[in-house]
Amino acid sequence: MGKNLSLPGEITRFLFVGVNVFFNVIGLALLGVGIYMVIVGQSYAYVTGSQYTIGAAIVMGCGLVTCLISVLAIIGGLTKNSCLLLIYSLAMTVICLLQIAIGVYSFVYQTQITNTISNRFITALQNYTTSGSEDYDEDGNKFIDSVQTDLHCCGFNGPGDWLKYNLKYVIKNSGLPSSCYCDSVDGKECINFNIGDVRITVDVYGEGCNSTLYNLLNANILTVGSVSVVFGLMEIFGIMLSLLLCACISGRRVEYVKLT
């Protein structure tokens, strides 16, 4: 425990402790965002690939480390321990740079994912078949069914895509996948779709999955990018406070030694 600080030093110390209580909340928020990304990534990993999952893991890691480091900072501020404050400064600098890098990468990745979603979705739709078939793609089938069921949509641009890209499945099974069907009581979501090739009419979701899926994934990526950059910039303030507090503590110690 160091000697009493001057009034500006004490103000800096309590401000530093308060800021790091807030950073602890930020760390928990990042951890929550990362967990949510993992859950979403598991459902749509077929189109997002490993990049999305890796990004989610990094966000979770940053959140966890931020929580731990902020606790270290609070202890260092309350005990006026300059060694803990220096460790905090170094660790938070690394986290800050990493978060800003994640943010920048998220914005770049957002511009690339549109074509990826389109290509992967249509490929999965073309290869969609019943389980037990020789060319059955379990991951692709699960992805199509999950998206169509969760987002209440059918096909990429609409239910007509099944006739355009996978007529073989429609004829063989006398209809569209069950994940396309909806109850007519759902109202505007449902349309009466005529499958001329097999001469039947079914109630299916009228909207394609493209815009809804784009909006969902882009919103998640944009949120992660924005949160990472904003939090990273805010943490620079915490780093500056820690260095300033270190200077106050060191200066007071030098003054105390001279007086004794």
Side-chain angles (χ1 to χ4, degrees):
M1 180 79 70
K3 296 300 178 181
N4 291 334
L5 300 176
S6 61
L7 180 60
E10 289 294 343
I11 293 174
T12 301
R13 185 165 72 95
F14 285 109
L15 179 60
F16 175 74
V17 171
V19 165
N20 277 280
V21 171
F22 177 63
F23 284 172
N24 192 264
V25 176
I26 286 179
L28 293 174
L30 284 174
L31 188 60
V33 169
I35 292 172
Y36 172 73
M37 285 179 64
V38 169
I39 295 172
V40 172
Q42 288 176 342
S43 299
Y44 306 124
Y46 190 83
V47 293
T48 58
S50 60
Q51 293 171 306
Y52 191 90
T53 305
I54 292 172
I58 294 175
V59 170
M60 288 176 60
C62 285
L64 181 60
V65 174
T66 299
C67 286
L68 297 176
I69 292 299
S70 61
V71 171
L72 186 70
I74 293 170
I75 295 172
L78 292 176
T79 60
K80 304 174 190 175
N81 190 317
S82 57
C83 182
L84 288 180
L85 294 176
L86 287 174
I87 293 173
Y88 165 85
S89 298
L90 293 173
M92 193 59 78
T93 298
V94 174
I95 295 172
C96 177
L97 293 175
L98 188 58
Q99 286 179 189
I100 293 175
I102 291 172
V104 173
Y105 178 75
S106 296
F107 296 132
V108 174
Y109 182 60
Q110 187 182 26
T111 63
Q112 300 173 343
I113 197 171
T114 301
N115 290 334
T116 302
I117 291 175
S118 175
N119 294 335
R120 295 290 288 171
F121 192 105
I122 291 176
T123 298
L125 193 152
Q126 289 173 328
N127 296 331
Y128 190 95
T129 185
T130 55
S131 60
S133 301
E134 184 178 344
D135 53 351
Y136 177 65
D137 179 4
E138 183 178 4
D139 291 337
N141 274 35
K142 284 184 177 180
F143 165 70
I144 290 291
D145 288 332
S146 176
V147 171
Q148 292 186 153
T149 300
D150 295 345
L151 304 184
H152 292 186
C153 55
C154 181
F156 188 66
N157 296 301
D161 282 350
W162 286 98
L163 303 180
K164 179 180 179 181
Y165 294 111
N166 202 343
L167 182 59
K168 178 182 177 181
Y169 174 88
V170 175
I171 294 175
K172 181 178 179 180
N173 295 276
S174 300
L176 305 184
S178 58
S179 56
C180 268
Y181 295 156
C182 65
D183 195 324
S184 58
V185 298
D186 288 344
K188 294 182 180 180
E189 287 186 333
C190 295
I191 64 169
N192 201 245
F193 186 67
N194 180 35
I195 307 176
D197 297 270
V198 292
R199 298 181 180 180
I200 63 172
T201 302
V202 292
D203 289 325
V204 298
Y205 295 116
E207 294 293 328
C209 301
N210 57 350
S211 59
T212 308
L213 186 58
Y214 284 149
N215 292 339
L216 173 65
L217 294 178
N218 280 332
N220 288 337
I221 295 170
L222 181 61
T223 299
V224 170
S226 302
V227 167
S228 297
V229 171
V230 171
F231 285 178
L233 294 176
M234 290 173 62
E235 285 162 357
I236 293 176
F237 180 62
I239 296 169
M240 293 173 63
L241 279 178
S242 70
L243 295 176
L244 180 60
L245 183 55
C246 276
C248 291
I249 294 172
S250 299
R252 193 62 178 173
R253 283 175 179 169
V254 169
E255 183 180 338
Y256 175 76
V257 170
K258 287 182 179 179
L259 290 174
T260 56

